[in-house]
Amino acid sequence: MASFSLAALTVLELAPPEMIELAARCGYGKVGLRLLPATPGGVAYRLMDDAALLRETLHRLQSTGVTVADLEVVAFRPETDVASFTSFFEAGARLGAKHILVAAYDPDLARFSDRYREFCEAAAGYGLTSDLEFMPWTSVPDLKTAMRIVAGADHPAAGILVDALHFDRSQSALADLRAIPAEQLHYWQLCDGPAERPATTEQLIHAAREERMFPGEGGIDLVGLTRAMPDGLTISIEVPTVQLAKSASAEARARRALEAGRALVERVRAAS
């Protein structure tokens, strides 16, 4: 039985306590929480800096039985200092989180690789994995690059985060995915999108952050991807739909996303 997590980006308008309650009502067992913004000035709920919000979040986790799958977003830039994440790690440990989403915005991949390994070491001390998400517009644009960096880190906390949209848009290969050591895959993200890939980086970013499709409603080869992913991994449902959010509630969107994701995975597993 697959374990599904509600990704922060699906209902980013909700603060963690409300998101956790919604996840429980919809049938998700887990959530992903955005404690740091994806871009400077972006939406984030800094629980490590807000004791009251952290307490309320912990209370909602306890009362609902929902757990925290992952924390977002550690975006490495040239000036990023691993030592600055202590309070972030401490909050993650209190929340019982398992994974951290890491993104690379440092054009010096040798420097990023060194800091990534340092980050893995630090995060592991709090029981957290460090999962590198490849995205076409970042310094780690595809699966092969992510595989090389994670292999070079050679740390048990290092992992690769496969997002269905980025996997397709980066034209990464299922054969490469199947070659990843199982211990380097901790969870993955499920969504859909049009078969036709965006023509510009701006369009890629817009679609990824604001306008995805529910699993099974687009043209991405989710069947092949789901077959290639190991059983037993948490599946994070990440479907931001900014236009739909103008007419549909967060709960309606979260329910639709989970129903679509669950139906797809169950169909693929049954046929395997």
Side-chain angles (χ1 to χ4, degrees):
M1 189 75 174
S3 174
F4 293 95
S5 177
L6 176 59
L9 196 55
T10 303
V11 288
L12 196 56
E13 70 268 35
L14 298 183
E18 290 70 40
M19 181 189 180
I20 290 161
E21 291 283 354
L22 182 148
R25 288 196 303 273
C26 293
Y28 291 88
K30 302 176 182 181
V31 294
L33 301 179
R34 181 162 290 192
L35 274 58
L36 294 168
T39 56
V43 175
Y45 302 93
R46 297 182 61 91
L47 298 180
M48 57 282 193
D49 300 332
D50 190 331
L53 187 59
L54 177 58
R55 282 196 302 272
E56 183 59 25
T57 301
L58 291 167
H59 172 70
R60 301 292 179 95
L61 290 170
Q62 184 176 30
S63 65
T64 60
V66 170
T67 60
V68 178
D70 66 286
L71 306 177
E72 303 179 351
V73 177
V74 173
F76 273 80
R77 294 183 168 83
E79 68 276 11
T80 297
D81 178 9
V82 173
S84 68
F85 291 100
T86 299
S87 62
F88 174 83
F89 293 143
E90 290 172 345
R94 289 192 65 187
L95 291 161
K98 302 299 182 187
H99 317 297
I100 298 170
L101 189 158
V102 175
Y105 292 91
D106 186 344
D108 185 336
L109 275 185
R111 178 175 56 200
F112 168 71
S113 297
D114 289 343
R115 288 180 179 171
Y116 173 64
R117 194 190 190 288
E118 183 184 350
F119 186 86
C120 290
E121 185 69 34
Y126 295 86
L128 292 155
T129 66
S130 303
D131 296 271
L132 178 58
E133 182 174 23
F134 58 95
M135 294 173 268
W137 60 88
T138 67
S139 302
V140 179
D142 53 36
L143 178 57
K144 281 191 172 180
T145 307
M147 291 172 71
R148 187 170 68 250
I149 290 172
V150 169
D154 191 25
H155 193 283
I160 297 169
L161 177 55
V162 177
D163 176 307
L165 189 73
H166 303 323
F167 182 86
D168 178 82
R169 280 13 184 179
S170 65
Q171 301 187 53
S172 294
L174 290 173
D176 292 328
L177 181 56
R178 295 188 190 100
I180 299 173
E183 63 270 18
Q184 292 178 3
L185 293 169
H186 303 128
Y187 74 111
W188 63 287
Q189 294 178 327
L190 179 61
C191 68
D192 213 335
E196 184 177 354
R197 297 184 176 99
T200 68
T201 297
E202 290 73 20
Q203 290 171 344
L204 274 171
I205 294 172
H206 173 77
R209 293 178 176 165
E210 298 190 11
E211 297 299 340
R212 302 195 188 195
M213 299 177 73
F214 296 98
E217 297 184 12
I220 293 176
D221 179 17
L222 296 180
V223 172
L225 180 62
T226 302
R227 283 179 178 152
M229 296 302 296
D231 288 342
L233 299 184
T234 294
I235 301 172
S236 174
I237 307 291
E238 186 175 60
V239 189
T241 48
V242 171
Q243 285 301 314
L244 182 61
K246 295 176 181 178
S247 59
S249 69
E251 182 163 342
R253 286 151 34 226
R255 283 187 184 279
R256 181 174 169 185
L258 178 59
E259 288 169 2
R262 182 177 282 148
L264 172 85
V265 172
E266 289 178 353
R267 185 169 71 251
V268 172
R269 298 291 191 237
S272 298

